[in-house]
Amino acid sequence: MPASTGSACLPTAVGPADLLQPAPPTPETLAYSLTLPAAPQTPAIVRATLRTVLRAHDLRDMSDAVVQVASDLTACACRFSTSSNVYVRLRYRDDALRVVLYDAHPRHTHPRLAAACDARRRSSLRLPAGVVRACGGDWGFGDAREPGGGTRTWAVLPREGARAYLGPGHGQV
């Protein structure tokens, strides 16, 4: 029997092909949260971020509707926020993209002030509300349930409705 060289116990070189490669992003893995300044340039940041995220998660076909809605929800949150930041959450599940914005503007306790503020916010959200309805989605705003309070504004855009929003040949950013 030949003498053993012991090479079976020596470590071997590991190349890049041997490393575990993460799976590419899919629609189901889309889940992002951003804290951004409550500033005039923030809707543009959200638009650019969303286009990149949608492309990476193979959801380009939703871009037109989703980018419009998220940008307008962000602009509204920035306009109403009483703090220097807004919080944006994006998540895809059940074949729909959820966009949630949190701003620090508290709900008014006086009924007339609350009604006037709600009317002003609703007026600011007319365009995204129309886009969401055209896509067969849902939207709204109300008290933020998180510590610190404020207002939560949200929209749910079904993929099929968002894909059909501008018709064939659109939504391919």
Side-chain angles (χ1 to χ4, degrees):
M1 183 174 198
S4 172
T5 61
S7 63
C9 295
L10 294 175
T12 59
V14 176
D18 298 321
L19 298 176
L20 181 60
Q21 297 295 318
T26 65
E28 292 73 27
T29 62
L30 191 156
Y32 294 86
S33 299
L34 306 163
T35 300
L36 298 166
Q41 69 272 20
T42 297
I45 294 168
V46 168
R47 286 190 299 271
T49 301
L50 241 152
R51 285 184 186 108
T52 301
V53 165
L54 292 172
R55 191 171 29 253
H57 288 270
D58 200 26
L59 291 167
R60 283 180 225 73
D61 54 353
M62 297 182 75
S63 291
D64 289 327
V66 169
V67 169
Q68 180 68 57
V69 169
S71 178
D72 288 349
L73 264 58
T74 302
C76 183
C78 289
R79 189 168 31 256
F80 278 86
S81 188
T82 57
S83 78
S84 60
N85 294 316
V86 295
Y87 177 75
V88 183
R89 190 175 74 211
L90 309 165
R91 183 161 186 202
Y92 186 87
R93 71 173 184 207
D94 301 327
D95 295 319
L97 186 72
R98 287 148 175 74
V99 179
V100 182
L101 269 290
Y102 295 92
D103 65 67
H105 185 81
R107 300 283 296 168
H108 297 280
T109 55
H110 190 281
R112 274 186 268 184
L113 284 176
C117 190
D118 286 356
R120 186 171 169 227
R121 191 178 289 261
R122 201 173 343 278
S123 175
S124 295
L125 295 169
R126 252 187 256 143
L127 177 61
V131 174
V132 170
R133 274 192 303 275
C135 294
D138 196 15
W139 75 280
F141 63 88
D143 289 332
R145 293 176 233 136
E146 284 67 30
T151 302
R152 173 181 172 261
T153 307
W154 53 271
V156 178
L157 292 146
R159 186 171 189 182
E160 285 303 314
R163 179 184 295 158
Y165 176 62
L166 289 180
H170 291 87
Q172 301 299 312
V173 273

